[in-house]
Amino acid sequence: MTGHAERAARFAADEPRAHWHDQALWFVRLKRDRMAAAVPEWEALRERAAAVKAHARARLADYLEQFEREATRRGLRVHWARDADEHNAVVHRILSERGVTRVVKSKSMLTEECHLNPYLQARGIEVVDTDLGERIVQLAGEPPSHIVLPAIHKKKEEIGELFHRTLGTAAGASDPTYLTQAARAHLREKFLAAQAGLTGVNFAIAETGGIVVCTNEGNADMGTHLPPLHVACMGVEKIVPRLADLSVFLRLLARSATGQPVTTYTTHFHAPRPGGELHVVIVDNGRSRLLAEEEFRGALACIRCGACMNTCPVFRRSGGYSYAWTIPGPIGSVLAPGRDPAAHGSLPFASSLCGSCDAVCPVKIPLHDQLLARRREVVRAGGQPLAKRLAMRVGAWVLGHRALYELAGRLARLALRRLPRALLYGRWNAWGRQRELPAAPAESFRDAWRRTRGGGRG
């Protein structure tokens, strides 16, 4: 099984792309920092959000049952799914019983996790992702590479070629405004023809039985207000106890994700539209198992803002696909090994342990500690190469005994004096030549961004 390091090396081999990807995400991180600094009570909000999530986890079953009671009382239909297979079957049954063959879907990492799109498409149902980034990667036959910025790995020229091939735009066109207008016209036809809308759920409120969906493009609103059927899919961890708690998370989410004060559209669904149906599918899919793990249950607090990815030096330089899982980055490196240790055992080591993810997480997940704990699990299970395990054991043994440590130091100094200088410095210089950095570009990234993007994206 190819590990993260091998996949990351393939991404990093394209140095211009890797550099651009790194700088683009750092630009978003800086926007987040400015927004956080503008809120005097920012740290108090993080503390409050972490406390609310911890309380909700401690009474998760009670709040989910309360949500079901209140939602049912308001006319929503609530379904439960133990895993991805059951989730997909439930959604398919709802659609097929109503003769639905055309569906529009807004961004939902849960449905990506469950591989809902190919499941429905194999059964004759057209599924169109309506978030622009999601639609780009769907047309390209790729999964999202980032949970908030799904097509961040693609340059505008590549998107122009893709749209020319799939949507019939002008050959060679790469102007973002032109491409966005083409996508808007294409998606409008899909919205008007849709028989059902699928969405994720950002927050589910136990007190009211309502759900909240946050988008920047309004696609969730179009997809749920035009067709008569709305199916919303949520993980059990999306529950918050009270409507009053929601304001804490809404102040944190967009600032952490994209560096804006609030998402452009924050839509509350507390009843089906007149004459329509609203179904909520509540999914476990391994979350209860994570809840039982004391060291890792805090990861269930994640609100999928992507801030840990935007700041992580490893993610920025290796790309989302190097993680080979739906949720990449530091949070994915904690979650994925819990699902499949054999397949994802390399991910906890895809970290510099700089702690930057802890510093930006809006709900204060201790990602640094959890990554270390996952590493210990992998090592205990024998998931590291024998040579590395032996080297680490020898190193620990030497560092644990003062006399051995001092002896090793004397031997190293002796080797430096006695070995031929050509051998030592020749190899060092060869390594240095391989590691030489390319010359700095004449135009700074910020100037290039402003010139090509008209001042940046909000």
Side-chain angles (χ1 to χ4, degrees):
M1 179 67 69
T2 303
H4 176 272
E6 291 78 11
R7 294 187 294 265
R10 290 198 293 268
F11 181 84
D14 186 346
E15 289 190 11
R17 183 184 300 276
H19 177 72
W20 177 84
H21 187 267
D22 175 22
Q23 293 299 314
L25 289 173
W26 187 247
F27 176 80
V28 180
R29 158 69 202 271
L30 292 178
K31 289 175 65 182
R32 174 263 173 208
D33 289 352
R34 288 194 292 270
M35 281 293 170
V39 181
E41 64 274 24
W42 181 256
E43 290 305 318
L45 286 170
R46 294 178 71 213
E47 292 282 356
R48 179 62 181 170
V52 170
K53 282 290 190 176
H55 171 74
R57 288 196 304 274
R59 295 185 52 196
L60 185 59
D62 296 335
Y63 283 126
L64 287 171
E65 290 175 4
Q66 181 184 6
F67 171 81
E68 182 183 31
R69 287 195 303 271
E70 294 300 323
T72 302
R73 186 172 65 82
R74 292 173 178 267
L76 285 70
R77 304 187 194 182
V78 179
H79 311 260
W80 299 81
R82 286 168 292 189
D83 52 30
D85 291 339
E86 195 166 316
H87 162 266
N88 293 345
V90 168
V91 174
H92 179 251
R93 185 180 72 247
I94 295 170
L95 299 176
S96 62
E97 286 178 352
R98 290 152 184 81
V100 171
T101 58
R102 297 185 302 276
V103 171
V104 287
K105 182 168 76 68
S106 69
K107 188 186 297 177
S108 165
M109 295 315 297
L110 174 65
T111 60
E112 291 289 339
E113 174 189 327
C114 296
H115 305 292
L116 179 64
N117 281 19
Y119 182 93
L120 294 179
Q121 290 163 346
R123 287 155 179 79
I125 297 176
E126 179 192 41
V127 183
V128 176
D129 281 299
T130 57
D131 172 89
L132 179 56
E134 292 273 350
R135 188 56 177 159
I136 289 169
V137 294
Q138 185 181 36
L139 289 172
E142 301 171 356
S145 69
H146 188 291
I147 63 175
V148 175
L149 310 166
I152 190 65
H153 60 291
K154 286 190 172 296
K155 296 186 176 182
K156 61 183 181 179
E157 292 79 11
E158 295 169 325
I159 297 171
E161 294 175 6
L162 174 68
F163 278 17
H164 173 63
R165 188 171 68 251
T166 58
L167 304 184
T169 56
S174 61
D175 176 63
T177 301
Y178 170 74
L179 297 177
T180 301
Q181 289 172 345
R184 181 181 299 163
H186 160 71
L187 288 171
R188 185 170 295 275
E189 296 178 0
K190 300 298 183 181
F191 282 126
L192 293 172
Q195 298 165 300
L198 285 173
T199 70
V201 172
N202 289 94
F203 307 100
I205 307 162
E207 179 183 46
T208 65
I211 60 173
V212 179
V213 180
C214 304
T215 67
N216 275 327
E217 300 172 19
N219 53 306
D221 300 69
M222 289 280 285
T224 56
H225 286 78
L226 290 175
L229 176 62
H230 175 191
V231 180
C233 306
M234 60 171 271
V236 296
E237 79 282 7
K238 297 296 186 180
I239 202 79
V240 295
R242 304 173 304 154
L243 187 60
D245 299 321
L246 184 64
S247 61
V248 176
F249 295 100
L250 292 181
R251 296 187 71 193
L252 291 166
L253 176 60
R255 287 178 169 89
S256 298
T258 53
Q260 60 191 100
V262 69
T263 48
T264 309
Y265 300 89
T266 301
T267 308
H268 297 242
F269 297 93
H270 279 83
R273 54 170 287 188
E277 299 178 46
L278 174 51
H279 296 253
V280 179
V281 185
I282 302 175
V283 187
D284 186 317
N285 202 35
R287 288 158 174 78
S288 293
R289 187 168 62 249
L290 185 65
L291 184 63
E293 299 183 69
E294 185 175 356
E295 282 188 295
F296 303 110
R297 63 174 60 131
L300 288 171
C302 179
I303 58 174
R304 302 294 190 261
C305 68
C308 63
M309 300 167 202
N310 300 338
T311 198
C312 177
V314 176
F315 179 89
R316 297 199 322 263
R317 292 164 175 83
S318 62
Y321 293 149
S322 64
Y323 293 81
W325 200 58
T326 308
I327 309 293
I331 184 63
S333 298
V334 170
L335 296 173
R339 298 287 185 88
D340 190 341
H344 303 298
S346 67
L347 294 189
F349 299 89
S351 169
S352 65
L353 297 180
C354 63
S356 186
C357 50
D358 283 28
V360 301
C361 177
V363 289
K364 303 198 75 168
I365 300 172
L367 290 165
H368 180 274
D369 294 337
Q370 292 183 357
L371 287 166
L372 279 172
R374 285 293 190 209
R375 288 186 180 190
R376 287 193 293 269
E377 285 189 345
V378 172
V379 171
R380 282 197 296 265
Q384 285 291 290
L386 178 61
K388 187 170 185 178
R389 295 203 305 273
L390 290 175
M392 294 302 292
R393 284 181 180 274
V394 170
W397 188 49
V398 170
L399 293 174
H401 297 80
R402 180 173 177 174
L404 288 174
Y405 177 75
E406 292 177 346
L407 176 62
R410 288 195 296 270
L411 291 174
R413 289 191 294 272
L414 179 64
L416 288 173
R417 287 196 300 268
R418 295 297 178 86
L419 287 175
R421 295 175 64 85
L423 177 64
L424 287 174
Y425 294 104
R427 290 190 176 182
W428 175 264
N429 290 336
W431 180 85
R433 285 193 296 272
Q434 294 172 4
R435 299 293 297 174
E436 285 180 2
L437 296 176
E443 183 179 34
S444 72
F445 175 78
R446 176 173 291 185
D447 291 340
W449 185 281
R450 287 174 173 167
R451 176 173 53 77
T452 58
R453 297 295 180 95
R457 52 183 165 184

